[in-house]
Amino acid sequence: IQDDQSKFIYFMSVALGAKKTCEVGCNIGNNLSDFPKNSEVHGFDMSEYALEKAKKRYPSFNFKVGNMNKIPIDDSFFDLVFTRGVLIHIPSSDIDAGLKEMVRISKKWIMNLEYFGKDGEMIEWSRGDELLWYRNMKERWGNFDVEVISDVEIPLEIDQGKVRLTLVKKKN
């Protein structure tokens, strides 16, 4: 399944004409595994441990420690900025700051692949409560100066969760 997800993300970047791509919350880089080594790919994560693994797996990509609420990159730097399974970990009180940063660093496209449900409703998890929340990204993006291009459920063959792809285009 992970291989299908990575292929899907890579082919979406190609279809969107993205030359510079950034994954926010990249962890060890699983979602970047299908990007060619010569791609201009960047990843941010809060975990230094995960990023060390990502750097070993993909030495030609650019990885930095960063919080999505304050991404250390210039405005409009990336053609595509994306998340997969990251925004469910962000409390509702903090998510808009992270989305604002994603808009800031994107030149054109922002894509989210997130567990879908009533926005902010807690997802029960074996590790405890108040750690995961469903997201309605189409609704969330309504608070920003972006155009929702697509908001569709991902087939189970690609992602086993109740995941939606939300693609937005930054208004200039």
Side-chain angles (χ1 to χ4, degrees), residues 36 38 121:
N38 63 344
E121 181 179 305

Side-chain angles (χ1 to χ4, degrees), residues 22 39 55 63 68 77 84-85 87 106 108 131 150 153 161:
C22 175
S39 300
K55 288 174 185 176
F63 296 102
M68 78 175 294
F77 187 80
R84 187 193 160 278
L87 301 178
S106 173
K108 190 170 186 178
L131 297 173
S150 183
E153 192 168 333

Side-chain angles (χ1 to χ4, degrees), residues 24 44 67-74 98 101-102 104-105:
V24 175
F44 293 93
N67 181 316
M68 78 175 294
N69 291 347
K70 190 171 174 129
I71 299 172
I73 211 77
D74 292 337
E101 278 292 277
M102 291 176 70
R104 183 186 66 76
I105 66 171

